[in-house]
Amino acid sequence: MASMAENRPDENPLRSASFAVHATRGLIRDQAARRKTMVVLLALALLLLLAGLTFLAPILNPREHLGWALTFWIVCIWLTLTALLLALFDLLMVRRAGRTAQRELRQGYRPPNE
């Protein structure tokens, strides 16, 4: 008996690493998407922090549940650092665009002849 995979025509399976690379490239290149992602990451980190300090506090007690507490704080730190790195990259891209515009303006400017 043949399996379902054998009956399909030849397909190139979507590789998760390749997908992650292409999605990251698109996110980094688009300024609006980059800024929205920063806001979402920071909001999610703040939401996790508030949840961890209130109703998740008993579960995140490191003396009782060390693994959960470490995982929780690693996730919070990971989200915050990702947003920070995106913000630094955005700052560098804005500075680069400003220098490019300034250079084009200088090249296009011609002083009046006297």
Side-chain angles (χ1 to χ4, degrees):
M1 184 171 162
S3 70
M4 290 292 279
E6 293 175 358
N7 292 337
R8 292 183 185 175
D10 291 334
E11 294 180 9
N12 190 7
L14 179 64
R15 296 184 182 132
S16 60
S18 175
F19 175 75
V21 167
H22 289 295
T24 303
R25 280 183 186 170
L27 179 68
I28 287 175
R29 289 180 182 165
D30 184 21
Q31 184 181 26
R34 189 170 53 237
R35 290 181 177 176
K36 286 179 186 177
T37 304
M38 284 187 284
V39 169
V40 168
L41 287 173
L42 285 176
L44 186 59
L46 278 173
L47 182 69
L48 280 175
L49 184 63
L50 289 174
L53 294 174
T54 56
F55 65 89
L56 290 179
I59 298 171
L60 299 175
N61 185 355
R63 292 189 177 115
E64 295 176 13
H65 307 283
L66 181 62
W68 286 110
L70 283 175
T71 304
F72 175 81
W73 288 111
I74 287 171
V75 168
C76 285
I77 291 168
W78 182 270
L79 292 172
T80 305
L81 285 178
T82 304
L84 176 72
L85 290 174
L86 279 172
L88 287 174
F89 182 75
D90 190 54
L91 180 66
L92 290 173
M93 294 301 290
V94 167
R95 288 181 67 193
R96 185 177 122 200
R99 278 182 290 184
T100 303
Q102 189 177 30
R103 187 179 323 117
E104 289 175 0
L105 186 61
R106 283 183 186 155
Q107 290 174 352
Y109 174 73
R110 301 199 189 274
N113 293 332
E114 293 182 332

